[in-house]
Amino acid sequence: MMKYSFIRFLIVGCINTAVGMALMYILYHGTGFSYWTSTFTGNAIGACVSFYLNKMFTFQSKDPIGKNFFRFATVIVCCYGLSYGLGKSLAFFILSEGRLIQASYASDLAILLGTVLYTLTNYFGQKYFVFS
């Protein structure tokens, strides 16, 4: 069953990404919250969805919630800072080099790039550290 953990992780990821990104864009564009507040809040809510679904469905962990949750929170925070920081830097680099899209979309591109990086780093962190 663990053979398909990445497929299950991607299914769960689609669900929590839809929840998290919807909140990010609503907060960023709808309320005027900053990039960091919007991405952090969206990720926090998405992370709650992710923790529950990954524990029960993806990795089918029998470990106590407390043990998993501390490790999960550590992975989430590390992946968040790394991925969204790098995503923002990459977005501004791409825009400064090519001008393929308007500079006003830099934060939108950063959110998208950060989400892709976050998904990859988060999978490996959860598989090998949280629910191993």
Side-chain angles (χ1 to χ4, degrees):
M1 199 58 126
M2 289 303 287
K3 178 173 145 180
Y4 300 105
S5 66
F6 189 68
I7 303 283
R8 289 192 305 272
F9 183 83
L10 290 177
I11 292 167
V12 168
C14 288
I15 295 166
N16 70 52
T17 298
V19 169
M21 283 188 76
L23 284 170
M24 286 180 216
Y25 284 115
I26 288 168
L27 292 173
Y28 186 71
H29 290 291
T31 66
F33 284 8
S34 72
Y35 171 83
W36 290 110
T37 300
S38 299
T39 58
F40 183 81
T41 304
N43 259 322
I45 301 299
C48 292
V49 171
S50 176
F51 176 76
Y52 178 76
L53 293 177
N54 279 318
K55 178 171 176 41
M56 304 310 254
F57 174 67
T58 305
F59 301 109
Q60 300 168 357
S61 175
K62 305 289 188 230
D63 289 339
I65 287 177
K67 175 186 174 192
N68 290 140
F69 190 78
F70 175 75
R71 289 179 175 193
F72 181 84
T74 300
V75 167
I76 293 296
V77 169
C78 292
C79 291
Y80 168 77
L82 174 71
S83 300
Y84 286 93
L86 187 56
K88 191 166 189 175
S89 296
L90 284 171
F92 284 93
F93 174 76
I94 289 168
L95 290 174
S96 70
E97 292 298 315
R99 299 286 179 208
L100 297 174
I101 60 174
Q102 295 177 355
S104 61
Y105 295 115
S107 290
D108 293 314
L109 178 60
I111 289 171
L112 183 61
L113 291 172
T115 299
V116 170
L117 293 170
Y118 178 83
T119 299
L120 295 172
T121 58
N122 189 28
Y123 172 74
F124 290 107
Q126 286 193 41
K127 181 175 175 107
Y128 294 109
F129 182 66
V130 179
F131 299 113
S132 58

